[in-house]
Amino acid sequence: MIPYGCQAITEADIAAVEAVLHSDFLTQGPAVPRFEQAVAAKVGAAHGVAVNSATSALHLACRALDLGPGDWLWTSPNTFVASANCARYCGARVDFVDIDPDTYNLSVEALAAKLEQADKTGQLPKIVIPVHFAGQPCDMAAIGELGRRYGFRIIEDASHAIGAHCDGEPVGNGRHSAITVFSFHPVKLITTGEGGLATTNNPDLAERMSRLRSHGITRDPARMQGEPAGPWDYEQIELGYNYRMTDMQAALGLSQLQRLDDYIARRQALAERYDQRLAELPVRTPYQDPKHRSALHLYSIQVADGATRANSFQALRDAGIGVNVHSIPVHTQPDYQRLGFAKGDYPVAEAYYERAISLPLYPGLTEAQQDRVCLHLNEALP
Ligand SMILES: *Cc1c(COP(=O)(O)O)cnc(C)c1O
């Protein structure tokens, strides 16, 4: 089976993890801050906070921005459930903004229209989470402008987009957002097994996320209410979690990060090869905006209709091609239907989903394997 995505682990990665296993610290040691600084430097942000998943990073980002009961968070329905669930962890309400039919990212026009409406009813969102779907950056300049106008904060869900560039600048540098979140799950661009990281330029947000990652505990005498009883003393000053990343994970991530640009170049080359080979087929190849550099986390094509998708998906799986589908619109999940959402609410995202197939794309995919994928796709399509 050729999978749709797959990690690449080198001997250097294994040696880096092994070195941590021989060291004094398996967690809360020096590898985590080293990884945080390396990612922050790579994406041009002042601070990085590493955690055990992007889901945790999204939760901490919402907490650090004081999202709570009575607040609204808006995101795109064309994403993984975690982009919306983070609001509900904080007791806030979720709403969605449909996607753009060309870019498959949150539609800036739909966002502007919905904000205008919400402004009239006093239901403006506190946070908007644009998702850089498949690694293709959203129009952050336009979303940032709306954020200033309507007073909402922005968390970029860049789980698909470490290494991507938006208007020539790295995603994660926080030019248009308060916080950016990355995922290091094995199917993503680089991996730590499980893991995530939040970048920000705001030292207070970084400190708050670091504290919430570790139970809301501080050892900083300046933050403590009383005099420390001794060097052992700490205070829990708010309710936090254990969302820490281990040093083994951080060492793996640091080693992987060295190859991020090579991996994206490889994904780009494979994507161009797909574009050429699929040009004659009745499919729509992924959107690429020349203004931005996609990280190409996914190579998702659009086929003619839902029936074609179902049939060709099955034929490809039967041929040993591990195709997948991204993303099931979040509002169609039963747990969201219970909140009042229904099929039909976001027709562009639903139409995209109906026709989507993600073809295999990862650095270790060979050209021979890719040709096999194209051959079987050709046979599978009507
Ligand atoms: C994978 C993913 C997440 C969650 O990442 P984890 O590290 O698995 O928690 C969140 N948002 C998007 C868009 C994702 O693809």
Side-chain angles (χ1 to χ4, degrees):
M1 185 75 119
I2 302 174
Y4 86 90
C6 181
Q7 71 274 15
I9 300 293
T10 64
E11 288 305 318
D13 291 342
I14 293 166
V17 174
E18 203 177 334
V20 171
L21 289 169
H22 288 297
S23 78
D24 292 336
F25 293 99
L26 301 188
T27 188
Q28 296 176 282
V32 173
R34 223 177 272 150
F35 181 50
E36 289 175 335
Q37 282 153 23
V39 173
K42 178 82 193 162
V43 305
H47 307 278
V49 178
V51 288
N52 57 3
S53 71
T55 303
S56 300
L58 286 163
H59 185 190
L60 294 189
C62 289
R63 282 285 316 268
L65 294 171
D66 291 318
L67 187 73
D71 293 330
W72 285 100
L73 178 148
W74 294 0
T75 188
S76 149
N78 182 27
T79 186
F80 185 56
V81 292
S83 318
N85 288 344
C86 54
R88 299 171 59 195
Y89 298 153
C90 298
R93 287 171 295 177
V94 183
D95 208 352
F96 299 95
V97 180
D98 210 347
I99 61 170
D100 181 283
D102 294 320
T103 68
Y104 316 132
N105 276 329
L106 184 143
S107 159
V108 174
E109 278 168 38
L111 176 63
K114 195 176 171 81
L115 286 165
E116 206 182 309
Q117 204 54 40
D119 197 15
K120 287 182 194 145
T121 58
Q123 301 215 304
L124 284 169
K126 183 162 192 170
I127 294 175
V128 172
I129 303 190
V131 181
H132 304 305
F133 180 72
Q136 177 66 52
C138 297
D139 187 349
M140 289 309 302
I143 297 168
E145 178 61 37
L146 288 170
R148 279 186 294 280
R149 188 152 137 215
Y150 289 98
F152 59 82
R153 308 297 296 275
I154 299 170
I155 301 170
E156 293 174 70
D157 186 342
S159 294
H160 299 179
I162 191 167
H165 282 74
C166 184
D167 292 315
E169 294 183 14
V171 167
N173 75 350
R175 178 170 298 283
H176 302 290
S177 64
I179 298 170
T180 304
V181 167
F182 300 106
S183 172
F184 307 122
H185 182 278
V187 298
K188 307 286 164 78
L189 295 141
I190 57 170
T191 190
T192 60
E194 295 279 0
L197 190 138
T199 57
T200 181
N201 294 321
N202 181 323
D204 297 329
L205 292 178
E207 187 194 317
R208 183 104 190 268
M209 289 191 286
S210 304
R211 189 165 65 231
L212 288 167
R213 156 181 74 181
S214 219
H215 309 281
I217 279 172
T218 185
R219 293 173 184 278
D220 177 0
R223 298 266 172 214
M224 291 166 71
Q225 294 199 344
E227 276 298 301
W232 65 85
D233 204 7
Y234 59 78
E235 283 184 357
Q236 179 180 327
I237 58 173
E238 62 181 329
L239 182 63
Y241 319 90
N242 180 353
Y243 281 171
R244 291 188 299 261
M245 175 181 274
T246 68
D247 278 51
M248 287 87 78
Q249 291 171 308
L252 177 57
L254 193 54
S255 181
Q256 290 256 317
L257 187 65
Q258 316 306 314
R259 299 192 305 278
L260 174 63
D261 291 332
D262 294 344
Y263 283 171
I264 291 176
R266 175 73 183 150
R267 285 174 178 273
Q268 187 76 48
L270 287 167
E272 276 168 24
R273 237 175 140 261
Y274 267 137
D275 287 347
Q276 288 158 9
R277 276 159 181 70
L278 305 185
E280 305 296 311
L281 299 187
V283 302
R284 186 164 162 198
T285 55
Y287 173 80
Q288 282 221 50
D289 188 332
K291 289 203 311 287
H292 306 312
R293 177 177 90 161
S294 174
L296 280 158
H297 165 54
L298 298 172
Y299 191 91
S300 276
I301 59 167
Q302 291 273 283
V303 298
D305 51 41
T308 307
R309 198 272 298 276
N311 293 335
S312 47
F313 184 96
Q314 194 54 49
L316 285 160
R317 279 277 176 99
D318 291 345
I321 313 294
V323 284
N324 213 327
V325 169
H326 299 92
S327 299
I328 302 171
V330 178
H331 69 281
T332 65
Q333 295 292 347
D335 195 39
Y336 278 81
Q337 302 218 2
R338 264 196 290 281
L339 297 177
F341 295 101
K343 282 204 175 111
D345 285 351
Y346 303 97
V348 188
E350 291 171 38
Y352 176 77
Y353 161 67
E354 288 285 312
R355 300 164 52 207
I357 301 182
S358 297
L359 301 181
L361 183 67
Y362 51 92
L365 184 72
T366 66
E367 295 187 352
Q369 286 173 320
Q370 191 182 27
D371 290 344
R372 226 183 94 204
V373 174
C374 296
L375 183 82
H376 286 295
L377 178 64
N378 194 3
E379 281 174 5
L381 290 168

